[in-house]
Amino acid sequence: MPTKIIEDQDTLIREIQALRKERNALIIAHNYQRAEIQSLADIIGDSLELSRAAAKTNNPVIVFCGVHFMAESASILSPDKTVLLPEITAGCPMADMVTVEGPRRTDRKEYRDLLGIAFEFADAFTLRDLKSRHPGAPVVCYVNTSAAVKAESDICCTSSNALKVVESLKEDTVIMIPDRNLSAYVAKRTKKKVITWDGFCHVHQRVTVNDINKLRKEHPDSVFIVHPECPPEIQDMADHIASTSGILRLAREIDKKEFIIGTEEGLGYRLKKENPGKEFYFAYEHMVCPNMKRITLRSLRNALRDMQYVIKVSENIRIKAKRALDRMLEI
Ligand code: 13P
Ligand code: SF4
């Protein structure tokens, strides 16, 4: 019978420290990663900060502790570097909701009525079809998309710069993919007409008005900060709407003791570390992105030891996708 090898945390950390030196690797972690991964990272941040870091590093190896599209973006920006994603199955379900060839969901009418603003759903089954129905409308794609979708888009955006990106365009009508909630956030703040894809993040979509009312009642003096991937009715209840790093900044700057946070629980690691004495309550119990949590100390060690899993984008897609990312980074 094979013996099960149990590796303790200290041994794994020691191995990671030795291997990162040996490989001259940069460890980048998203704000939602497990605490033990964040504590080992050279850089922790939101999608925009991580894209910037990946674009300017000199390390030959980048270990991306996040989800697939993030490692892909790093590889697009740094093709001469080896980009590793420690768990190949760590994807983003929202990113998978739009492919160059489809698909779309169907509960759009109800959603539009709820918003009550000039906001139009993509009347198309594929991204290419959508583009042909709105000639001249630039496609703004959230970084939470595949390289192939980025290659079909004009410019990327993240949750921290989406409005700025849309406002930077000269056209009056823009297509935004794939997050309907981020699109709604932008549509409410711009004069441009926004045509959106019908995607969403299942972690943020699940926040309800009841969840927030309950927490507000329990903590009447709290500040409610929400990620724009939450539904519009939740955004409307918030004191502030921000990206993950935006939430961290606000929590540091606002002179209050209690905060209700509408995003993934992994952000709690830095929120607590950077704000001793402040309390943070997440919108619902176990507000967790399972994909972000796939990466463990063991998979990080394995990634560095076995140089796995290499993320590489074919050159013809990469060149086009890079244009959309570069255009965003220039803003
Ligand atoms: P941020 O860019 O705010 O970190 O968001 C990324 C993400 O995937 C949120 O679910
Ligand atoms: Fe994707 Fe949502 Fe997970 Fe972010 S939290 S990676 S948008 S599934």
Side-chain angles (χ1 to χ4, degrees):
M1 216 166 84
T3 15
K4 197 169 171 222
I5 302 165
I6 299 167
E7 294 153 308
D8 68 73
Q9 197 150 316
D10 292 346
T11 309
L12 286 169
I13 293 172
R14 264 200 308 277
E15 285 182 42
I16 291 167
Q17 301 294 29
L19 285 161
R20 79 196 302 177
K21 238 189 229 161
E22 192 184 307
R23 305 279 191 206
N24 190 10
L26 182 80
I27 301 177
I28 297 185
H30 186 264
N31 285 323
Y32 295 160
Q33 286 292 295
R34 292 171 186 271
E36 60 271 27
I37 299 292
Q38 293 195 42
S39 69
L40 283 171
D42 296 295
I43 296 162
I44 318 168
D46 67 6
S47 305
L48 183 61
E49 291 168 335
L50 300 185
S51 302
R52 286 210 179 107
K56 61 171 197 234
T57 178
N58 287 324
N59 300 62
V61 176
I62 301 173
V63 187
F64 214 115
C65 300
V67 286
H68 192 272
F69 75 82
M70 295 180 173
E72 224 178 31
S73 297
S75 173
I76 291 166
L77 294 167
S78 302
D80 50 333
K81 311 264 184 325
T82 303
V83 178
L84 303 175
L85 179 66
E87 283 291 343
I88 196 63
T89 54
C92 167
M94 173 162 70
D96 294 339
M97 285 178 184
V98 62
T99 64
V100 175
E101 301 302 332
R104 74 164 189 202
R105 283 168 37 89
T106 51
D107 60 352
R108 59 193 52 191
K109 179 165 182 320
E110 191 194 322
Y111 190 79
R112 186 172 36 215
D113 291 350
L114 220 129
L115 279 174
I117 50 167
F119 187 66
E120 200 171 296
F121 275 111
D123 192 15
F125 288 97
T126 71
L127 179 53
R128 281 202 187 127
D129 180 23
L130 172 61
K131 283 168 69 174
S132 70
R133 284 169 194 238
H134 301 278
V139 178
V140 179
C141 79
Y142 195 20
V143 278
N144 299 40
T145 46
S146 67
V149 166
K150 288 184 178 81
E152 287 278 324
S153 304
D154 295 282
I155 185 165
C156 287
C157 75
T158 71
S159 56
S160 63
N161 64 14
L163 182 60
K164 225 184 208 174
V165 165
V166 167
E167 290 288 290
S168 76
L169 301 168
K170 61 178 191 317
E171 293 83 355
D172 293 329
T173 300
V174 298
I175 295 169
M176 285 190 80
I177 54 167
D179 186 9
R180 63 187 191 188
N181 295 332
L182 182 67
S183 306
Y185 167 79
V186 171
K188 280 199 172 180
R189 290 160 180 81
T190 180
K191 288 202 167 67
K192 294 183 195 289
K193 179 171 164 189
V194 176
I195 297 163
T196 187
W197 200 259
D198 207 358
F200 59 89
C201 162
H202 66 104
V203 181
H204 291 84
Q205 184 66 35
R206 205 169 294 161
V207 180
T208 65
V209 171
N210 278 350
D211 291 332
I212 305 307
N213 281 338
K214 188 167 168 281
L215 282 167
R216 283 261 203 215
K217 222 174 177 177
E218 287 166 9
H219 309 284
D221 201 29
S222 60
V223 180
F224 176 34
I225 318 178
V226 80
H227 195 278
E229 286 176 15
C230 284
E233 68 274 20
I234 305 298
Q235 295 179 22
D236 288 346
M237 296 173 86
D239 298 303
H240 302 276
I241 305 172
S243 75
T244 54
S245 289
I247 296 174
L248 286 164
R249 182 182 47 77
L250 288 162
R252 277 194 304 268
E253 288 173 3
I254 298 171
D255 189 18
K256 287 274 187 179
K257 285 248 170 297
E258 293 187 304
F259 294 82
I260 300 169
I261 304 293
T263 200
E264 212 265 1
E265 277 180 16
L267 199 65
Y269 169 74
R270 284 181 70 188
L271 282 170
K272 285 187 214 127
K273 197 172 160 198
E274 293 170 12
N275 303 282
K278 294 188 181 181
E279 295 295 334
F280 300 96
Y281 311 99
F282 284 84
Y284 62 87
E285 218 176 302
H286 202 61
M287 189 164 176
V288 167
C289 171
N291 287 284
M292 282 281 182
K293 297 299 188 265
R294 281 182 203 265
I295 295 170
T296 60
L297 285 176
R298 194 165 209 274
S299 53
L300 175 54
R301 188 277 314 268
N302 293 352
L304 284 160
R305 185 191 61 194
D306 305 332
M307 293 296 277
Q308 68 185 22
Y309 295 89
V310 177
I311 303 298
K312 193 104 190 125
V313 177
S314 71
E315 196 57 11
N316 62 328
I317 299 269
R318 190 189 76 79
I319 303 272
K320 291 190 221 153
K322 186 170 183 296
R323 255 182 249 149
L325 275 166
D326 281 344
R327 223 178 137 186
M328 169 186 84
L329 292 170
E330 276 160 21
I331 290 177

